Amino acid sequence: KQLTKRTDLSFIAMFLLAVDAMHFTQTRIATIDSFPVLFMMVMFLFMARWMQMSFYHQKLWRTLVPLFASGVFMGLAIASKWIGCYGAVGLAVLFFWRIVSCRRNLEQNWQRSYLTRQTVRLITGCFGCFVFLPMLCYGLAFLPQLCLPGHSLGDFWGYQTSMYSYHSSLQATHAFSSSWWQWPLMERPVWYHVTYNPGGQEGTLCTIAGMGSPLLRWGGLAALLYTLVRAVRRRGVACFILVGYGACYVPWMLVSRLTFLYHYFPCVPFLAMAVAFWYTKTFETAGKKSCRLLFPHSSHRFWQRVTLGDGMITGLCVISVGFVILFWPVITGVQASSSYIHWLQWLPG
């Protein structure tokens, strides 16, 4: 909503994310990924607010307020899980892109010395917002551990090197691991839990799988491709979505250790935003004709206002809910017949 100023588009993106099977499963069983994804969404929100401000016309302290909030949530994301660092790269790209674009637009009417002075002051203030504040949040997260008997502040650095060496040198295999190129295709979901014949009832089982909704994952790829074309032509909202998605996804291409589908989870909110963006630029434009074409004899005001584009996006949301209902036993662990569970294994993976 911050990007588009439209409630209907923000509702579409929110709804598609809310009914995504992985979002539901990850948050329901309280995996750690749920928290950095939330904090990353909020830090991008405040960056979007700052990008819509005129920091060369307004007082410096006013423009630093959303950057301060963005830096705090960036620190919370990194303190939850290091994937927050990937999102931080996206913030840096958006920050400097906004500065460069503003300077380019104002250089003809403003003195370069003034623009340079304002830019230096802004970047200096951001050093505190995006370096000092995140480091403070990250350090405070270790405080309960460091205050325990037998621990000291000197252990802090040891924790960091231990975590890095573990992830950088991990040599392991897993039956449900998957590579980064498999995630958008949802080729290999993660199997979290199974109980065969619960309560002694033969032919039933309880199972939980971390998987996404095909409509959002596969349809989101088409939406991303369209968003890329729009970003090359007009930048704006399309660039923001692509930078957020790319910051959460591209770094995993360089990771050689064991990975899983849930590492794609931070990208899902941007997928939902891309679908909403695709709708407003394609379906809504192409479907401006009223549904009176389908219901020519109806005089009700509702059919005179609803467009074909509205019907398309409504169908998208309804099908997404239908998928959740269909796969409910697989994502919740409720008891179901084994034959039904195996019937839902549509793809070999």
Side-chain angles (χ1 to χ4, degrees), residues 150-204:
H151 295 267
S152 64
L153 291 176
D155 296 331
F156 176 81
W157 182 249
Y159 293 148
Q160 314 312 310
T161 57
S162 176
M163 286 188 289
Y164 177 78
S165 62
Y166 170 80
H167 288 286
S168 61
S169 61
L170 179 64
Q171 298 292 331
T173 58
H174 196 284
F176 291 95
S177 63
S178 56
S179 301
W180 59 268
W181 57 268
Q182 295 175 293
W183 301 341
L185 303 176
M186 207 173 63
E187 188 175 324
R188 189 62 171 165
V190 186
W191 200 9
Y192 287 138
H193 169 77
V194 63
T195 300
Y196 295 101
N197 303 321
Q201 297 187 25
E202 295 291 335
T204 64

Side-chain angles (χ1 to χ4, degrees), residues 306-321:
V306 174
T307 66
L308 297 179
D310 295 329
M312 294 177 185
I313 198 64
T314 301
L316 184 70
C317 294
V318 170
I319 295 174
S320 297
V321 174

